[in-house]
């Protein structure tokens, strides 16, 4: 909300998509999900991607996060070009450089909260940085819940574990796919608060897909997508400004 | 409801595949067994009926009771009786037949066939209608024989060749004067038939002047019964019996069918084991399907379906699955039946030709077994489905069907197991046969108990391998946790494997221990250097011992002569030995007294002593075949062993009073001990006879080992089917688990677990489940093997438990391999999972 603080940040780019296209099918049945999208995500910036259903917002995130393949263009995470990577290298990149928070809580029910948090590092066979881990856990307020299983945690607590998991391995960038979609408004606000804090206090880069103007208002910047193209961008958004912007889309959508 | 069920089946085709396969294999085993045994039985019956083509009425001698204490004998069928039979008005021809064991050697001097189907007989007159000649002429005198065309072809003999042969000892070298064809069942089944002229056959088989049977053929237009009536009138009815050919064929067909039913039942037991193992998979599959469909089923309940209707819909699904599996199994079973027949044909056991018999009974049992087994196994999951509350349709999460407490289950399991162990232990202290029934009961209780307890056992046992799995990092850790995530499912999957391995291990332990103890017995009880016997266990001529006695370097010999005599008014089998030498040739551990056998003293084994109430020093009276009596003193009581049992007396006590001495074995001690040269010398002394084997202790031990290996391999082969079904169960469980956890797997892939890691996770889970089942099976198997050994061991002085560590290690290794193989397909599926779809699916 405070645009002033942005100026203090470095302007290095954490991830960048250039002329990114994603086309499903061929000929008559061809569907263009992304149409030559170019976008950069600055380090230590919290970006929200918005747009109506079918606008390509999730596809954009999946492609940039190395979860999905794209038809043309380029995606870079730091210095790494994703287009040329094989599945194995892509997996390693996701493991080491990217954090994920999904809508459905996506924790492993057999692991304790702590084990879920350190899972990406376990997969990599790395020892977690103890101090950093403590910082993250303290931040999301899970210190007394670490040995609980996901089934013993509330929805909000589960998503906080997911946030801690994403933060714990110090990825270059965190992607959230509707991270508050399944939460009540209070739990949602908590989770979004942690995400914003991680950007402010820990210098984390976060990209989040959402359809909720209130959630988007936590971001530094909101990017609007429609029909696979970036149509607008708002810096320092408020829930009202975002809602306003969305209403215009709807109106345009109805008239066109 | 029926339509919903059908839709469900077709919607879950892939998930039901393993279930169908499991049921199919069981049904195929059952129907394959039925097709094979029925076809075999049918072919053998047709074959044997052909053998009666030339017999319209058979005349056989009646038994003549012994008078004045003498042992009885058959009346003699003399030439006069044959002529009298031929003379009745309805008879076209009467043939007197004699039969006996006749072994032929091939050109290398080796016995043709296995010795059990080597037959000899007589060629009647100048032209015997039973045996049409292909070439050559009828034999005359002992120096000439006929052989059957199959044998001639097999051995490469032609008319004019000189062949080596033997009837009960001495080697003969007659000339082949002709080759004949025959429908004889023995020959069709791979045996040989050698024919002599009638006088020579009678002499060689020790039946000079008499026949075994008179086969009378009727004139055209004379019925069997009419001919039989004529014969009854013409022949002395106290001396002979007449039977029509049809009746004989019927009797033989019945005998074949009943001998076949033993084989059939044996095979069906193993088929039953496979089916039983299959029920675990069926139950598992339907439990999982119901769990996955909780919402759907709850919706049906919400819109008004009754509990019964829900259960019925699950059972209808099971019915459809069972029907499909039964059809497939029947087809596969017919294939197995046909395949088995041609397989046995290519091995050294040619089968008589005949059509494949697929009786309505076979088809019926395939359907009944397939459908019934599937529906029974699906019944519990069906009941569980009915208990899903309608409200479950509204809740966002799957109602977890497995949170039900295991307390009741564990208590029951512990009770069953404890009772099982107690009964088995109690049975081991019992005497031989008395303990069999309680031991079987205890075994069943324990297996049920352990099966019920497997969910409880899975946690600690699987936790025990955690250190090993840790080597594999996250994949190993997740695999371990996934394996114990649903204890019931893991337990059912592992139990299926456990059953097969329990049986296999138990059999292996028992066979190994028995073999070792028989071996040990042979080593300690036998002092002789060589044992001479017939290959097929028939008695030797007493000439053999005489020849051996004369051979160079032989210092002592004794026969083991079968005889029987009356003791206390009962017929009792005795063994006649040479009392002067037997002490040098054997060393039986004695329970009482001393081992002294001569004209007035005998030794008996413990069982016999017990049944007659004798001890060392007791006196009993022996009534010999001709009625002569002799008082004998029991000089000692020996421990039972596998070589000899019963009463041992001196041959001198028996010989003058017996008809034909029948030596089962001749024991030989030589000056130089065992060596290849000595063995060769002995064989030479016997004229290099193809039917007589000269064995030292090592040969005997090898032969015993061979027999045990053969039995074990057969059992392994039959139990392999149960193991294969269990492996299908592992595949099934894993495939289902991968399907259920696709969201998790997608998330793991997203946060950085590569395909290899996912594959490894599934593979390790499979490995853990398989090894869990294998360890339980090995444990139970060893326990049962030990317990059964304790029972048998009480009767065997040399019994010793042998744990086949090598074999057990191999089984464990095989289980591991099976686990990895079972995971191939599910692991591939898991690794190929589309991440995005998996994550979104909710």
């Amino acid at each position: 909300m405070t645009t002033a603080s942005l100026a203090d940040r470095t302007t290095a780019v954490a991830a960048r998509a250039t002329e990114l296209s994603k086309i499903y099918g061929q000929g008559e049945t061809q569907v263009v999900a992304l149409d030559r999208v170019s976008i950069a995500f600055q380090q230590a910036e919290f970006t929200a991607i918005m747009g109506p259903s079918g606008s390509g917002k999730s596809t954009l995130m999946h492609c940039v996060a190395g979860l999905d393949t794209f038809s043309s263009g380029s995606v870079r995470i730091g210095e790494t070009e994703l287009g040329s990577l094989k599945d194995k290298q892509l997996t390693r990149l996701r493991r080491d450089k990217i954090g994920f928070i999904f809508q459905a809580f996506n924790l492993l029910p057999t692991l304790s909260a702590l084990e879920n948090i350190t899972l990406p590092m376990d997969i990599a066979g790395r020892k977690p940085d103890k101090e950093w881990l403590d910082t993250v856990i303290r931040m999301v307020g899970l210190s007394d819940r670490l040995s609980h299983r996901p089934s013993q945690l509330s929805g909000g607590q589960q998503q906080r574990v997911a946030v801690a998991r994403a933060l714990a391995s110090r990825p270059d960038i965190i992607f959230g796919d509707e991270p508050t979609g399944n939460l009540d408004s209070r739990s949602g606000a908590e989770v979004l608060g942690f995400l914003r804090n991680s950007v402010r206090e820990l210098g984390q880069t976060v990209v989040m897909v959402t359809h909720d103007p209130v959630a988007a208002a936590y971001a530094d910047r909101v990017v609007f997508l429609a029909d696979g193209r970036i149509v607008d961008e708002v810096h320092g958004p408020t829930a009202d400004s975002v809602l306003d912007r969305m209403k215009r889309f709807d109106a345009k959508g109805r008239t066109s | 409801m029926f339509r919903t069920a059908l839709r469900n089946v077709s919607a879950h085709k892939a998930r039901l595949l393993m279930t169908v396969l499991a049921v199919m294999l069981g049904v195929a085993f059952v129907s394959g067994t039925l097709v094979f045994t029925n076809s075999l039985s049918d072919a053998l019956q047709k074959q044997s009926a052909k053998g009666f083509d030339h017999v319209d009425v058979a005349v056989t001698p009646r038994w003549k009771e012994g008078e004045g204490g003498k042992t009885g004998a058959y009346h003699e069928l003399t030439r006069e009786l044959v002529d009298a039979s031929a003379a009745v008005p309805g008879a076209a021809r009467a043939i007197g037949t004699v039969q006996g064991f006749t072994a032929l050697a091939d050109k290398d001097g080796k016995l043709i066939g296995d010795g059990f189907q080597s037959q000899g007989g007589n060629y009647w007159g100048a032209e015997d209608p039973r045996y049409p000649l292909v070439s050559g002429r009828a034999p005359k005198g002992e120096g000439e024989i006929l052989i059957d065309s199959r044998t001639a072809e097999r051995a490469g003999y032609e008319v004019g060749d000189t062949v080596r042969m033997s009837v009960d000892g001495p080697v003969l070298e007659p000339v082949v004067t002709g080759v004949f064809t025959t429908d004889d069942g023995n020959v069709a089944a791979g045996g040989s038939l050698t024919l002599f002229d009638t006088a020579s056959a009678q002499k060689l088989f020790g039946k000079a002047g008499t026949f075994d049977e008179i086969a009378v053929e009727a004139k055209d237009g004379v019925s069997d019964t009419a001919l039989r009536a004529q014969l009854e009138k013409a022949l002395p009815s106290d001396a002979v019996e007449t039977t029509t050919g049809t009746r004989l064929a019927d009797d033989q067909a019945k005998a074949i069918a009943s001998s076949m039913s033993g084989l059939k039942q044996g095979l069906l037991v193993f088929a039953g084991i496979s089916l039983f193992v299959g029920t675990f998979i069926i139950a598992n599959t339907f439990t999982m399907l119901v769990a996955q469909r909780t919402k759907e089923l709850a919706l049906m309940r919400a819109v008004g379906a009754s509990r019964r209707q829900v259960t019925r819909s699950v059972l209808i699904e099971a019915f459809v699955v069972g029907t499909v599996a039964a059809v497939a199994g029947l087809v596969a079973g017919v294939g197995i039946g046909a395949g088995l027949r041609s397989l046995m044909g290519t091995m050294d056991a040619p089968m008589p030709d005949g059509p494949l018999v697929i009786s309505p009974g076979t088809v019926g049992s395939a359907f009944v077994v397939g459908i019934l087994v599937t529906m029974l196994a699906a019944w519990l999951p069906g009941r569980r489905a009915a208990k899903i509350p309608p409200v479950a349709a509204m809740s966002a999460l799957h109602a977890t069907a497995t949170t039900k407490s295991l307390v009741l289950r564990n208590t029951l399991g512990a009770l069953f197991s404890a009772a099982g162990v107690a009964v088995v232990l109690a049975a081991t202290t019992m005497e031989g046969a008395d303990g069999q029934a309680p031991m079987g009961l205890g075994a069943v209780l324990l297996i049920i108990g352990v099966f019920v307890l497997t969910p409880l056992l899975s946690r600690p046992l699987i936790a025990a391998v955690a250190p090993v799995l840790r080597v594999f990092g996250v994949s190993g850790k997740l695999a371990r946790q996934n394996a114990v995530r649903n204890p019931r499912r893991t337990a059912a999957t592992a139990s299926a494997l456990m059953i097969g391995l329990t049986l296999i291990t138990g059999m292996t332990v028992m066979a190994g221990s028995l073999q070792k103890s028989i071996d040990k017995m042979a080593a300690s009880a036998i002092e002789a250097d060589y044992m001479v016997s017939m290959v097929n266990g028939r008695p030797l001529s007493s000439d053999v011992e005489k020849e051996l006695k004369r051979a160079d370097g032989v210092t002592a010999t004794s026969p083991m002569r079968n005889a029987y005599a009356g003791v206390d008014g009962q017929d009792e089998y005795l063994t006649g030995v040479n009392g002067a030498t037997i002490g040098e040739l054997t060393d039986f551990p004695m329970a009482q007294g001393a081992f002294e056998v001569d004209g007035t003293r005998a030794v008996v084994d413990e069982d016999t002593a017990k049944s007659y109430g004798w001890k060392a020093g007791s006196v009993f009276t022996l009534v010999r075949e001709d009625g002569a009596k002799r008082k004998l003193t029991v000089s000692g009581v020996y421990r039972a062993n596998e070589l000899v049992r019963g009463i041992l007396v001196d041959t001198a006590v028996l010989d003058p009073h017996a008809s034909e001495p029948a030596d089962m074995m001749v024991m030989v001690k030589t000056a130089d001990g065992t060596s290849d040269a000595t063995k060769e010398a002995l064989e030479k002394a016997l004229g290099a006879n193809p039917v007589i084997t000269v064995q030292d202790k090592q040969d005997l031990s090898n032969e015993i080992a061979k027999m045990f290996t053969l039995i074990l391999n057969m059992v392994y082969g039959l139990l392999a089917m149960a193991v294969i079904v269990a492996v299908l169960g592992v595949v099934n469980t894993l495939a289902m688990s991968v399907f259920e956890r696709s969201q998790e797997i997608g998330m793991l892939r997203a946060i950085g677990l590569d395909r290899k890691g996912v594959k490894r996770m599934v593979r390790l889970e499979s490995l853990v489940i398989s090894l869990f089942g294998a360890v339980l099976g090995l444990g139970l198997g060893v326990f049962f093997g030990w317990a059964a050994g304790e029972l048998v061991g009480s009767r065997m002085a040399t019994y010793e438990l042998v744990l086949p560590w090598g074999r057990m290690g191999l089984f464990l290794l095989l289980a591991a391999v099976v686990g990895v193989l079972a995971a191939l397909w599910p692991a591939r599926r898991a690794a190929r999972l589309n991440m995005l779809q998996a994550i979104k699916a909710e």
Side-chain angles (χ1 to χ4, degrees):
Chain A
M1 283 174 262
T2 49
T3 41
S5 59
L6 275 176
D8 310 337
R9 303 289 155 86
T10 58
T11 50
V13 172
R16 181 197 296 279
T18 316
E19 294 280 300
L20 181 66
S21 294
K22 170 88 181 171
I23 298 162
Y24 295 104
Q26 277 179 335
E28 296 270 305
T29 57
Q30 180 170 305
V31 175
V32 181
L34 291 176
D35 189 2
R36 281 169 287 139
V37 172
S38 294
I39 188 170
F41 301 104
Q42 308 290 331
Q43 271 180 11
E45 186 188 37
F46 188 176
T47 309
I49 301 174
M50 295 200 76
S53 304
S55 62
K57 58 185 191 300
S58 285
T59 310
L60 173 63
M61 191 204 86
H62 291 152
C63 289
V64 177
L67 287 171
D68 206 351
T69 56
F70 44 88
S71 310
S72 65
S74 102
V75 172
R76 276 169 184 276
I77 298 283
E79 293 302 307
T80 318
E81 170 61 50
L82 264 51
S84 58
L85 295 186
K86 295 246 158 46
D87 179 77
K88 200 175 165 166
Q89 297 157 307
L90 214 51
T91 305
R92 182 156 299 173
L93 178 97
R94 288 198 303 267
R95 187 184 80 191
D96 297 337
K97 308 268 187 197
I98 301 173
F100 287 102
I101 305 164
F102 299 105
Q103 175 179 10
F105 312 124
N106 280 300
L107 301 179
L108 283 193
T110 52
L111 300 181
S112 68
L114 180 64
E115 286 172 320
N116 262 297
I117 293 170
T118 57
L119 187 59
M121 283 158 289
D122 280 349
I123 291 173
R126 275 203 317 256
K127 278 249 171 296
D129 175 344
K130 191 86 187 67
E131 220 170 291
W132 175 257
L133 194 61
D134 285 344
T135 311
V136 169
I137 290 168
R138 219 177 305 117
M139 196 185 92
V140 296
L142 283 168
S143 303
D144 55 345
R145 291 274 188 279
L146 290 179
S147 58
H148 288 52
R149 291 284 155 93
S151 56
Q152 298 165 310
L153 299 173
S154 70
Q157 285 169 333
Q158 287 186 36
Q159 199 62 318
R160 270 145 64 188
V161 173
V163 170
R165 181 183 69 198
L167 286 168
S169 58
R170 293 191 150 175
D172 290 0
I173 185 164
I174 292 177
F175 291 98
D177 192 355
E178 304 271 12
T180 57
N182 274 5
L183 300 179
D184 60 69
S185 56
R186 225 192 73 181
S187 306
E190 265 174 21
V191 166
L192 289 164
F194 295 134
L195 283 177
R196 190 176 57 194
N197 288 348
S198 73
V199 175
R200 296 283 146 78
E201 291 161 24
L202 312 174
Q204 185 64 58
T205 311
V206 176
V207 176
M208 164 181 80
V209 168
T210 184
H211 63 269
D212 176 7
V214 180
Y218 281 82
D220 299 319
R221 167 173 81 133
V222 180
V223 177
F224 292 92
L225 247 73
D227 300 327
R229 290 199 199 106
I230 293 176
V231 289
D232 203 354
E233 202 176 306
V234 172
H235 287 268
T238 62
D240 287 340
S241 68
V242 173
L243 195 60
D244 217 37
R245 190 71 195 76
M246 282 171 72
K247 275 182 186 152
R248 267 190 281 153
F249 277 133
D250 280 358
K252 220 168 75 182
R254 256 180 240 120
T255 50
S256 65
Chain B
M1 263 348 227
F2 190 70
R3 193 178 306 153
T4 329
L6 270 184
R7 292 253 167 87
N8 277 328
V9 172
S10 66
H12 298 128
K13 273 194 292 270
R15 266 176 275 167
L16 288 167
L17 179 69
M18 291 299 143
T19 314
V20 170
L21 273 179
V23 180
M24 188 200 95
L25 283 183
V27 173
F29 203 157
V30 171
S31 48
T33 300
L34 294 177
V35 168
F36 175 67
T37 50
N38 288 348
S39 303
L40 187 56
S41 183
D42 181 66
L44 284 174
Q45 285 171 9
K46 283 196 181 124
Q47 190 82 54
S48 82
K50 275 191 206 159
F52 295 106
D53 278 357
H54 298 280
V55 187
D56 290 322
V57 176
V59 180
T60 48
R62 279 188 199 278
W63 181 255
K64 186 167 65 185
E65 283 301 331
E67 286 161 25
K70 286 185 197 173
T71 314
Y74 279 107
H75 281 277
E76 291 188 344
L77 281 186
T78 55
R79 182 74 200 211
E80 287 72 47
L81 286 172
V82 180
D83 293 342
S85 304
V88 301
R93 196 188 294 108
I95 295 173
T97 66
V98 246
Q99 285 181 344
F101 170 76
T102 306
L104 271 183
D106 62 14
K107 285 179 174 170
D108 300 325
K110 295 244 168 58
L111 179 67
I112 296 174
D114 57 11
F116 290 95
Q117 290 167 317
S118 307
Q119 285 288 336
N122 61 324
Y123 189 78
W124 186 254
E127 206 186 323
D128 191 327
R130 295 174 299 167
Y131 307 115
L133 289 179
V134 185
S135 59
R137 56 165 179 84
K140 277 196 202 81
E142 269 181 58
E144 295 184 355
I145 57 163
L146 299 178
I147 58 176
D148 69 88
S149 55
R150 283 203 196 200
T151 305
E153 196 182 322
R154 190 144 51 126
Y157 284 137
E158 284 168 23
V159 174
D161 286 348
T162 301
V163 299
R164 294 171 63 76
M165 54 148 276
S166 173
V167 172
D168 64 351
V171 175
L172 302 174
E173 293 193 328
V175 177
V176 177
T177 60
V179 174
F180 62 90
T181 57
T182 176
D183 289 330
D184 187 89
N186 236 337
V187 174
S192 63
L193 181 60
T194 310
L195 299 180
F196 308 91
D197 72 18
T198 301
S200 306
Q202 286 174 327
K203 191 175 159 230
L204 284 168
F205 299 139
K207 298 163 184 168
T210 69
F211 296 94
D212 294 331
E213 186 186 298
I214 303 167
V216 189
E217 214 174 320
K219 276 185 184 144
D220 283 346
V222 179
S223 73
D224 287 7
T225 39
L227 177 61
R228 180 168 170 239
Q230 292 176 4
L231 286 165
E232 291 262 290
K233 222 178 282 168
L235 302 174
S237 62
D238 60 327
V240 299
E241 213 170 344
T242 55
T243 323
T244 61
T246 343
R247 172 75 185 281
L248 283 179
D250 281 353
D251 287 352
Q252 188 138 357
K254 269 186 207 132
I256 290 168
S258 85
S259 76
M260 209 48 74
S261 82
L263 173 68
K264 193 189 283 183
Q265 277 164 15
L267 287 172
L268 285 179
V269 165
F270 286 95
I273 294 171
S274 298
L275 279 168
F276 179 63
V277 169
T279 58
F280 289 67
I281 299 169
I282 303 163
N284 242 1
T285 306
F286 278 94
T287 305
M288 287 186 250
L289 285 179
V290 166
Q292 285 162 14
R293 285 214 305 267
T294 301
K295 256 186 169 173
E296 205 180 304
L297 292 169
L299 190 69
M300 274 164 61
R301 294 273 287 120
V303 299
S306 70
R307 287 194 168 185
R308 187 178 296 182
Q309 277 173 312
V310 170
T311 308
R312 205 184 298 151
S313 84
V314 173
L315 286 182
I316 290 171
E317 257 185 88
F319 175 81
V320 174
V321 168
T323 310
V324 171
V327 171
L330 183 61
V331 172
V334 173
I336 289 174
L340 260 183
R341 210 172 51 157
S342 56
L343 183 75
M344 289 187 79
T346 58
M347 287 176 1
D348 226 15
M351 308 286 293
D353 302 324
L356 267 187
V357 179
I358 306 161
S359 67
T362 306
V363 178
S365 1
F367 277 96
V368 168
V369 163
I371 294 170
L372 214 64
V373 163
T374 316
M375 287 183 73
L376 274 180
W379 185 69
L380 265 186
R383 285 277 309 269
R384 223 170 282 145
K387 289 195 183 135
I388 295 170
V391 72
M394 320 308 171
S395 87
L397 289 166
H398 287 303
T400 40
T402 52
T403 45
K404 220 171 82 187
S405 158
L406 289 169
V407 172
L408 178 70
R409 180 169 180 154
N410 291 342
T411 316
L412 267 177
L415 283 176
F416 267 101
S417 304
V421 170
V423 174
V424 169
L425 286 181
T428 58
T429 61
M430 294 184 191
E431 285 266 327
D434 301 341
Q436 275 172 13
M439 180 153 298
L441 174 74
V444 169
L445 282 177
L446 181 54
I447 287 183
I448 294 175
V450 170
F451 163 62
V452 175
L453 276 183
T454 26
L456 179 73
L457 294 172
S458 66
R459 282 180 190 279
L461 272 177
I462 289 175
V465 293
V468 184
L469 289 173
R470 213 164 284 150
V471 177
F472 299 98
V474 177
S475 299
K477 183 171 159 189
L478 293 176
R480 178 170 73 82
Q481 283 169 336
N482 284 338
V484 293
R485 191 152 156 187
N486 193 330
R488 285 165 201 271
R489 190 191 297 176
T490 302
T493 312
S495 301
L497 203 56
M498 174 190 91
I499 290 165
L501 271 163
T502 300
L503 294 172
I504 287 176
T505 310
M507 294 285 182
T508 309
V509 170
M510 268 195 74
S513 303
L514 278 179
Q515 185 190 331
K516 180 77 187 286
S517 41
I518 293 177
D519 238 27
K520 243 167 75 182
M521 185 281 304
S524 67
I526 299 174
E527 294 278 303
D529 294 316
Y530 288 102
M531 284 137 288
V532 178
S533 57
M534 287 279 249
V535 280
N536 57 356
R538 293 177 61 92
L540 291 160
S541 145
S542 53
D543 293 343
V544 171
E545 195 204 351
K546 286 177 197 143
E547 279 170 31
L548 285 166
K549 221 179 253 172
R550 280 198 298 270
D552 286 342
V554 171
T555 57
T557 63
S558 168
M560 288 279 169
R561 184 165 298 171
N562 267 9
Y564 55 105
V567 175
D568 277 8
Q570 296 180 40
D571 272 351
E572 182 71 47
Y573 275 92
L574 310 176
T575 304
V577 297
N578 182 344
T581 56
I582 191 73
E584 284 175 64
L585 295 163
T586 56
D587 180 16
F588 296 149
M590 300 301 287
Q592 298 170 31
F595 194 92
E596 299 286 351
V597 180
D598 56 28
T600 57
R601 288 182 292 182
V603 289
V604 301
D605 69 356
E606 284 178 304
D607 284 354
T608 312
K610 201 172 146 196
S611 73
Y612 285 104
W614 294 339
K615 38 185 202 292
S618 299
V619 176
F620 65 96
T621 307
L622 204 64
V623 183
R624 287 161 289 183
E625 269 188 69
D626 63 352
K629 292 180 184 167
R630 165 75 64 95
K631 271 199 166 37
L632 289 172
T633 308
V634 175
S635 69
V637 177
Y638 66 91
R639 284 251 163 79
N641 61 56
E642 299 300 307
L643 194 66
V644 190
R645 34 183 102 239
I647 307 171
L648 256 60
V649 299
D650 197 296
T651 47
V653 175
L654 299 169
D655 280 356
H657 308 278
S659 49
E660 294 167 52
D663 291 351
M664 297 318 292
M665 186 197 278
V666 178
M667 304 185 101
V668 181
K669 185 107 184 151
T670 60
D672 304 334
T674 55
S675 74
D676 287 350
T678 317
K679 187 171 177 174
E680 227 166 87
L682 290 178
E683 280 171 347
K684 215 164 166 192
L686 295 169
N689 195 315
V691 274
I692 296 181
T693 61
V694 176
Q695 292 176 303
D696 60 19
K697 279 197 241 178
Q698 188 56 48
D699 295 331
L700 199 63
S701 150
N702 291 347
E703 197 179 319
I704 293 166
K706 214 168 113 187
M707 188 182 77
F708 274 99
T709 309
L710 184 74
I711 294 172
L712 263 190
N713 285 345
M714 262 165 60
V715 172
Y716 288 162
L718 291 169
L719 286 174
M721 190 66 113
V723 173
I724 290 172
V725 171
V727 171
L728 288 180
V730 179
V731 177
N732 190 44
T733 298
L734 287 170
M736 291 270 190
S737 298
V738 165
F739 172 80
E740 282 181 8
R741 297 173 195 154
S742 52
Q743 211 180 347
E744 263 173 61
I745 294 167
M747 187 273 290
L748 279 168
R749 292 273 293 120
I751 67 168
L753 191 64
D754 57 9
R755 290 211 166 109
K756 224 158 99 192
V758 171
K759 270 191 191 169
R760 190 182 292 154
M761 177 178 81
V762 178
R763 250 187 255 135
L764 286 173
E765 181 180 353
S766 171
L767 196 66
V768 165
I769 296 177
S770 303
L771 286 178
F772 174 51
V775 165
L776 286 182
L778 283 176
L780 279 180
V782 168
F783 179 69
F784 291 141
W786 166 81
E790 286 291 298
L791 201 60
V792 179
S794 63
R795 298 169 59 84
M796 285 175 77
T798 50
Y799 186 82
E800 176 192 7
L801 180 72
V802 180
L803 287 185
W805 292 111
R807 281 277 166 99
M808 278 152 59
L810 189 72
F811 294 155
L812 212 56
L813 191 73
L814 274 178
V817 170
V818 152
V820 172
L821 286 181
L824 275 182
W825 175 62
R828 232 173 106 88
R829 261 183 56 159
R832 291 276 164 100
L833 217 65
N834 184 319
M835 261 182 285
L836 290 171
Q837 274 174 12
I839 296 165
K840 274 187 243 162
E842 169 63 348

